[in-house]
Every structure is written in C-alpha cells, then in structure tokens.
Amino acid sequence: MATTILTELSDEEAIVHIARHFAKVAVAAGKTDCESLAEACEELLKEEEVKWEDVLDVVSEPFDLVCSQTADKETEAAFNVLCHLAVTKADPEYRDIFFSQLAKNIASSTNHTAVRTRMLVSLFNQAQGPQVKYSCLYHLLTFTASIKNADTILPYLKDADTWISSWQLDEQSLRKLLLTISNTLKEADKGLESYRYLVKYLSRFEHVDPDALGPVKADAARAAVEAVRLPNLYQMGDLFDLKVVRQLADDPTYSREYELLKIFTMETLAEFNAFWEKHSAHFASLEVSHEHSLRKIRVLTLTSLAASHEQLTYAEVAEALQVDEAEVETWLILAFSAQLVSAKMDQVKRLITIDKCVQRYFSPTQWREIKSKLVQWRDAIRPLLTTVLPATTSTTPHQHLQRLDR
C-alpha cells in the first residue's frame, strides 16, 4: 500500500485499500481468518446507509497485530485515515471508545517505538472529550516511560494541572493519572516535579478509611525517601501531614521512612545522627546518600536555630552543626542561597544577626492558632471601623467589615 495513494482516494476507496493491506500483513503473520477482511469491508460499504462504526470495527480488528509486524509509514498512514474517518463519519460516543481502544493497542507493545509514539501523540491531540483525552494521555505516558523515552512528552505535561482541573475526572481516574504523571517525570529525571505530583496523588486519600490505605503505603514511603533525597527541597510539611504518611508511623515495614521524614521536617542534626547510626544499611539500600543527607540536615538545623534566635555566635552554630567555626559562614551562605535564612555576619565579633527566617514546619495546630488570632484581630478592629472610618472615607463601615470577613 503506497503511502501517498490514500490521500488521492475517496473515503470508501481508502478504507478498502487499508483493509487489503491489513489482511495481507495479518495473513502473513498467521492470522488466516483475516483473508476476507477487504471483502467484508466492501459488503458493509454497499449498504444503503453505511454504518461507519461497523466498517471501522471490522477493518481495525487486526490493527494491533499489524502494528507489531510493520509499524512503518504505510501503517501510520492507515492509522491517520482510520482516525479521520472516526472523527468525520462515526458517532462521537463511538469515536471516543475507538480512540481509547487504539491507544491501548498501540501502547501494548514496545517495538517500532518512534511510530507508536507519534500515533499516541496524534490520538491525544485529536481526542475531544475529557475521558478519552485522559485515556490517550495515560497510555502515552505509560508507553513513553516503558521505552525510557519520557523526555519526548515533557512539553505536554506543562499543561497537566490545567487539564486535571478542567477534565473533572472521577476520583479513581484522577489518582491514576496523578501517579502516572509522577512516575513519568521520575523516569525523565525530573525529580522535584515528580515528587510534587506524587504528593498530589497521596493527598487524594485524605478521606479514605485508614484500613483501606494499605496499598498506598508503598507510594507514601517512596515519597518520604524522595523528599529527603531531593537536594533543593527543604519544606516537607505538606507531605508529613498527609493521613497516609502518618499511617507509616506504626507500620512494621515503613516506620523507618516515616521517622526519617519526621527528622527532615522538624528535627535537627543530633536526631539524624542517632537515627542514621541505627538504620544506615536500610537507607543505603534505598540509595539515600549519607553525604547529601548530612549536608541537607545541617542546612535545616541552621534554619531551626535561626528561627528561634535573634542573634547567634559562630561557636553556637558550629556546635549545632558539628563543624569547625571556619565553616560557619559557608553553611550560612548555603541557607541564604536556599532562601531559608536572611542574616548579617559580623566577622570581627563572630556574630550572626538574623533578619528573617523560614518556619520549617507549621503543624495543623499552629495553623488553627494563627486563624484564631486573625479572627480575634478582626473582631477587635470592628469597633474602630464603625467609629473612625465614617469621618475619613466615603466607604461605609459595613463595606469594610465585609472585606474583613472575606
């Protein structure tokens, strides 16, 4: 079947040519029941009112086998015609099912990867409904990850958050997509982006019965390890507070991952050293580098020190980080570069004055306390608004109170 000839034929002629091509390839591969494929297609086309859904069903039946045998330009051209006919001739509901099935078949094997990738991308671009776009994207992601070529679809994932919010997927599909995106990004060495989607995935289990969280614990433990391994991730409270992560605390398999995450979320070098001494072999098996972890926990320890002091001596910092005083400025620069601490160093007095500092972890209780204080402030300022504002502004006190309540 010549690639160019299909564009010169009518829809009916093109689909018959495709049927003959598919039959030839299928029979050569041992599928002898496809010998009459073209004849069956022609019979359907003779009907007074052609049912294109039936035509596409018949012709596309051996498509998976054809792809595995000859995923070449001819097969790709045939695929494009099938998609065109599904869009222009078939019922929209059938088209969505047809696209989803094609995507599943194309992604089922890993030979002829370049052609298969192009076909999957084309399906996603042509798909119109949320559910079918989800299905095509899912198969595209799993396929490119399986062939170690996830980099090719990274440009598509920049819009993933927009798709997720607009598609309004059911909970099961949403979880599946978030985890698949995370795994694909990890395969593409996009560790921080992968981690963020993994946290989004785990957050979808907040209202699930704790007894049903067993299958998700492995993903939660992986997220804990990834949080520690990522060199530029210093705040992990959003992960630590998740229900499924808290379930790891008493789990015989994953409690060590929970404890490590807890240390990096809110504790210091002293706790890390004691913990690592007991469990170094376990975390070495998970490829958690002691050197990198030590560097990170020292920066976090310095952050905690700065959060609780207005001034620190070089000696105090050196003691807490277990380093020489000569290294203190280096560690402070690292904390500054990570945008965790802003401070002034007095090299003569060997003194550090803290300007501002990031709070490493806000517990749910602390957030509630902040909310309570804000409510108290709002209530306290109400009388002032009702007495002072009428004399100084055209805006009514009622309008200001409405803004405060927002």
Side-chain angles (χ1 to χ4, degrees):
M1 183 185 71
T3 304
T4 57
I5 195 172
L6 292 177
T7 61
E8 303 168 1
L9 301 177
S10 66
D11 291 339
E12 290 78 7
E13 291 170 332
I15 196 68
V16 172
H17 270 272
I18 291 170
R20 288 173 181 157
H21 173 63
F22 283 6
K24 181 181 178 180
V25 175
V27 170
K31 191 172 175 60
T32 56
D33 58 343
C34 286
E35 285 181 335
S36 59
L37 190 66
E39 289 76 7
C41 174
E42 289 175 324
E43 287 300 316
L44 289 171
L45 292 172
K46 289 178 182 177
E47 295 182 7
E48 185 174 344
E49 187 174 340
V50 177
K51 295 181 180 178
W52 280 96
E53 293 84 0
D54 293 341
V55 175
L56 289 168
D57 276 345
V58 168
V59 175
S60 64
E61 192 275 330
F63 181 75
D64 187 26
L65 175 61
V66 173
C67 276
S68 66
Q69 298 296 312
T70 58
D72 50 17
K73 290 183 179 180
E74 285 74 15
T75 304
E76 192 172 0
F79 160 83
N80 289 330
V81 172
L82 291 176
C83 291
H84 165 74
L85 293 174
V87 170
T88 60
K89 301 288 189 180
D91 177 80
E93 184 176 350
Y94 172 87
R95 176 200 63 216
D96 290 350
I97 296 171
F98 183 74
F99 274 25
S100 294
Q101 188 59 48
L102 274 183
K104 181 179 179 181
N105 290 343
I106 293 167
S108 64
S109 299
T110 55
N111 59 348
H112 310 293
T113 57
V115 173
R116 288 179 185 270
T117 301
R118 287 197 300 271
M119 289 192 290
L120 286 168
V121 168
S122 178
L123 280 174
F124 176 74
N125 288 336
Q126 293 183 72
Q128 297 178 22
Q131 197 62 39
V132 67
K133 285 194 90 64
Y134 153 75
S135 177
C136 292
L137 179 61
Y138 170 75
H139 289 299
L140 175 60
L141 291 172
T142 55
F143 176 75
T144 53
S146 70
I147 62 173
K148 311 295 183 185
N149 196 26
D151 286 345
T152 59
I153 60 162
L154 289 181
Y156 285 86
L157 293 182
K158 63 182 174 58
D159 296 320
D161 287 338
T162 302
W163 299 334
I164 289 169
S165 63
S166 64
W167 288 350
Q168 297 183 335
L169 299 173
D170 61 83
E171 191 62 37
Q172 183 176 358
S173 297
L174 178 56
R175 290 171 183 167
K176 188 177 181 180
L177 181 58
L178 289 170
L179 183 59
T180 303
I181 292 174
S182 173
N183 291 340
T184 303
L185 288 167
K186 181 176 175 62
E187 185 63 40
D189 293 325
K190 300 295 181 180
L192 186 58
E193 293 91 336
S194 170
Y195 167 81
R196 286 171 176 162
Y197 275 98
L198 185 56
V199 173
K200 289 179 182 180
Y201 162 73
L202 295 172
S203 71
R204 305 304 305 183
F205 294 89
E206 286 299 279
H207 303 295
V208 174
D209 189 297
D211 294 335
L213 292 174
V216 193
K217 287 183 177 180
D219 294 317
R222 176 165 72 89
V225 171
E226 290 300 321
V228 173
R229 291 175 60 186
L230 286 168
N232 297 318
L233 180 70
Y234 291 102
Q235 291 182 292
M236 295 158 249
D238 55 344
L239 174 65
F240 184 74
D241 285 334
L242 293 179
K243 178 192 288 187
V244 64
V245 173
R246 293 301 180 105
Q247 292 290 309
L248 303 180
D250 299 318
D251 188 275
T253 303
Y254 301 118
S255 60
R256 289 169 293 187
E257 282 82 349
Y258 173 83
E259 287 300 321
L260 185 65
L261 177 64
K262 182 180 179 182
I263 289 170
F264 277 80
T265 300
M266 65 181 71
E267 295 178 354
T268 64
L269 177 63
E271 289 82 7
F272 170 77
N273 284 339
F275 179 82
W276 191 270
E277 186 176 350
K278 294 179 181 179
H279 305 292
S280 58
H282 174 68
F283 287 103
S285 71
L286 297 177
E287 299 183 353
V288 178
S289 164
H290 179 255
E291 179 184 354
H292 294 163
S293 299
L294 192 60
R295 177 184 182 275
K296 186 170 180 175
I297 196 63
R298 279 183 169 139
V299 172
L300 290 170
T301 300
L302 177 54
T303 304
S304 292
L305 268 180
S308 57
H309 294 81
E310 293 183 359
Q311 287 189 326
L312 289 164
T313 65
Y314 278 39
E316 289 171 331
V317 173
E319 181 181 1
L321 303 190
Q322 299 178 17
V323 297
D324 294 334
E325 281 193 36
E327 298 179 47
V328 166
E329 292 181 6
T330 299
W331 289 104
L332 189 59
I333 291 170
L334 286 173
F336 179 79
S337 299
Q339 299 183 333
L340 297 173
V341 177
S342 177
K344 297 181 181 68
M345 294 179 284
D346 188 327
Q347 295 176 322
V348 176
K349 295 181 180 179
R350 315 291 286 172
L351 190 66
I352 302 166
T353 301
I354 310 300
D355 292 329
K356 58 182 178 179
C357 181
V358 167
Q359 182 74 26
R360 283 177 61 189
Y361 173 67
F362 267 104
S363 69
T365 300
Q366 287 173 303
W367 282 118
R368 285 192 292 269
E369 289 174 355
I370 291 174
K371 180 181 178 181
S372 176
K373 290 178 180 178
L374 288 173
V375 170
Q376 291 174 15
W377 173 83
R378 181 198 64 188
D379 293 342
I381 203 173
R382 284 177 186 269
L384 181 63
L385 289 175
T386 57
T387 58
V388 174
L389 284 175
T392 60
T393 179
S394 59
T395 305
T396 66
H398 177 69
Q399 289 173 319
H400 280 278
L401 291 173
Q402 282 184 319
R403 292 172 185 169
L404 285 172
D405 287 334
R406 288 173 186 168

